[in-house]
Amino acid sequence: MLGWISIIRMGLVQLCLGAIVVLTTSTLNRLMVVELALPAVLPGLLVALHYGIQITRPQWGYRSDTGGKRTRWIIGGMAVLAAGGLSAAYGVVLMETAFVAGLLVSILAYALIGVGVGASGTSLLALLATATDPRRRAAAATITWLMMIAGIAVTAATVGSFLDPYSPALLLRIVAIVTIGAVLLTSLAVWGIEARVTVPPVEKAPLPFMDGMREVWAERKARNFTVFVFLSMTAYFMQELILEPYAGLVFAFTPGQSTSLSGAQNGGVFLGMVLVGVCATGLHLGSLRAWVIAGCIGSAGALALITGLGQIGPAAPLVPAVVLLGFFNGMFAVAAIGSMMQLAGEGREAREGTRMGLWGAAQAIAAGFGGLVGAASADLLRQVLPNDAAAFGSVFLFEAALFLVSALMAWRVVDKARKTRAPQTGGALVPGE
């Protein structure tokens, strides 16, 4: 089974995933909407494309369940993601002088991003779920997601500080450094881990993919949790593509300032995750279900606050409100992820990757759908409402309502138990970790 050092090393992969993806969902999105004056629905469609392609996550999980060698999928997926991230930045630069060519490059780039995240992220989580002692799974989920959020926050803040004054050449240099560094760090982080742990043996005569999916979907807990993931993640991602344009249009933030705002938000996410990790995992205070519900309700309140600040304008303290939103988002997310890690090991063995892929696909579809609906709604409402603050605020309030519905659903579908069930059979702890 994985030791703590190996878990932290795997968390570095999550850090790299977050570092690349945040550039596409925050910095590039902001540049398209504000600097290039394109409708928010355009980056919304591009991001929806990369999330939509992640519907293949169950297939990636199934491949790693039945074929083994998850390491090659992790590293290979990160390389594809890096290529997509760098191409996406080039596409935005190209749009300034040749819009159609830039759009075609961007479509290909975001497709590569979806493939890379699906292959690397799903295989990583599957290895984590199968090779981690059940008693450590919630803590492992907390550690790896904290590192992902740290990667997002640090990347956003650092890129934001270096991006002003903005120039296309500077953007490409920064994105190249981030993407190449992510591939190198991922390779070093996971190299040799899989070979040193004992995981369930690969099936000699695996079921066809659809039969394996039907097995997982027949599990009531897996099915209900999939629905919860879709609803809650739709709420979680609705503001992803409009928060930075909102800051630029309503609060007069520069590209660097709005990118740093994303870093501040994810700093709040980090703090929320730490709180749940310490209280729920370390001190055993409160169930995962309680933390999920508290995070959903708090997120709804923070969105209402952000909406109200828009009526004040540039003088309003937007950054603290966004940090508060991130804090409650983090509480919700890490508690939900902890529940996911526990449920992944329940039911038929050798299906952990398929379950993680199913929930990852539900999250990806919800992220693409939520982001696209949020962006399209903002575009539409900007045409019919008197000002940008009212248009964006209406979307934030709808998102808050979805969080409240998610809290109600969490009460019914998230396991109340604080501890995992009895451990499955597995290998011994690797010495020295």
Side-chain angles (χ1 to χ4, degrees):
M1 288 293 174
L2 290 176
W4 293 116
I5 293 177
S6 292
I7 290 172
I8 292 172
R9 287 174 60 187
M10 294 179 71
L12 290 173
V13 180
Q14 290 283 68
L15 183 149
C16 293
L17 286 169
I20 296 177
V21 171
V22 72
L23 295 176
T24 63
T25 58
S26 62
T27 306
L28 301 185
N29 168 65
R30 148 73 199 235
L31 292 173
M32 282 187 270
V33 175
V34 180
E35 273 63 37
L36 300 184
L38 297 171
V41 72
L42 177 60
L45 286 169
L46 290 172
V47 172
L49 171 64
H50 103 65
Y51 283 126
I53 287 178
Q54 289 182 54
I55 197 173
T56 59
R57 275 179 176 262
Q59 183 67 256
W60 294 116
Y62 174 80
R63 285 176 181 272
S64 61
D65 280 340
T66 57
K69 300 181 180 178
R70 302 188 200 269
T71 299
R72 66 181 180 184
W73 297 112
I74 295 171
I75 297 175
M78 185 63 69
V80 173
L81 172 59
L86 186 56
S87 299
Y90 177 68
V92 171
V93 172
L94 191 57
M95 283 182 188
E96 295 188 35
T97 55
F99 175 76
V100 175
L103 180 60
L104 292 176
V105 170
S106 296
I107 291 172
L108 175 61
Y110 279 81
L112 290 175
I113 291 168
V115 172
V117 172
S120 185
T122 305
S123 301
L124 176 76
L125 293 177
L127 179 58
L128 194 64
T130 55
T132 303
D133 188 285
R135 293 168 297 180
R136 292 183 175 182
R137 283 177 183 158
T142 301
I143 291 170
T144 54
W145 249 261
L146 282 174
M147 295 180 73
M148 182 185 72
I149 296 303
I152 293 173
V154 171
T155 300
T158 304
V159 170
S161 65
F162 282 104
L163 197 56
D164 285 335
Y166 168 74
S167 73
L170 179 60
L171 173 69
L172 290 176
R173 284 199 300 272
I174 291 174
V175 174
I177 291 171
V178 173
T179 53
I180 294 172
V183 175
L184 294 176
L185 181 57
T186 294
S187 301
L188 293 173
V190 300
W191 197 262
I193 287 181
E194 189 175 12
R196 291 159 47 204
V197 296
T198 303
V199 296
V202 175
E203 294 179 271
K204 293 182 179 179
L207 286 173
F209 169 67
M210 290 308 299
D211 290 340
M213 279 293 296
R214 278 191 286 269
E215 276 191 353
V216 171
W217 189 252
E219 299 169 3
R220 182 179 60 85
K221 284 187 175 182
R223 186 171 61 250
N224 290 343
F225 195 77
T226 302
V227 177
F228 165 73
V229 167
F230 176 79
L231 181 64
S232 60
M233 287 300 170
T234 297
Y236 187 93
F237 283 100
M238 275 195 72
Q239 53 75 37
E240 183 178 42
L241 299 180
I242 61 174
L243 185 58
E244 288 197 37
Y246 176 64
L249 293 169
V250 178
F251 296 86
F253 278 35
T254 67
Q257 287 175 324
S258 63
T259 299
S260 296
L261 180 68
S262 179
Q265 179 186 6
N266 285 287
V269 173
F270 185 88
L271 294 176
M273 287 185 166
V274 169
L275 177 66
V276 175
V278 171
C279 292
T281 304
L283 302 178
H284 302 291
L285 298 176
S287 64
L288 291 176
R289 182 174 70 173
W291 287 107
V292 168
I293 293 171
C296 287
I297 294 174
S299 295
L303 285 165
L305 175 60
I306 290 171
T307 300
L309 293 177
Q311 302 305 313
I312 300 174
L318 178 63
V319 174
V322 170
V323 172
L324 185 67
L325 173 63
F327 176 77
F328 285 114
N329 281 174
M331 285 175 55
F332 148 73
V334 78
I337 291 162
S339 300
M340 185 186 300
M341 291 290 292
Q342 291 182 8
L343 286 173
E346 296 185 11
R348 188 192 189 283
E349 290 188 358
R351 290 289 177 267
E352 293 86 355
T354 306
R355 292 188 194 93
M356 295 301 291
L358 175 63
W359 297 328
Q363 175 186 331
I365 295 170
F369 175 74
L372 181 58
V373 168
S377 299
D379 278 341
L380 177 62
L381 292 172
R382 288 179 68 194
Q383 302 301 316
V384 300
L385 292 180
N387 54 61
D388 289 335
F392 284 97
S394 298
V395 181
F396 294 144
L397 290 178
F398 180 75
E399 182 183 0
L402 280 183
F403 265 120
L404 294 178
V405 175
S406 299
L408 180 62
M409 189 173 184
W411 179 261
R412 302 188 62 181
V413 304
V414 177
D415 193 353
K416 185 179 179 181
R418 299 180 186 176
K419 298 180 180 180
T420 58
R421 299 184 187 277
Q424 300 176 9
T425 57
L429 181 66
V430 178
E433 295 191 38

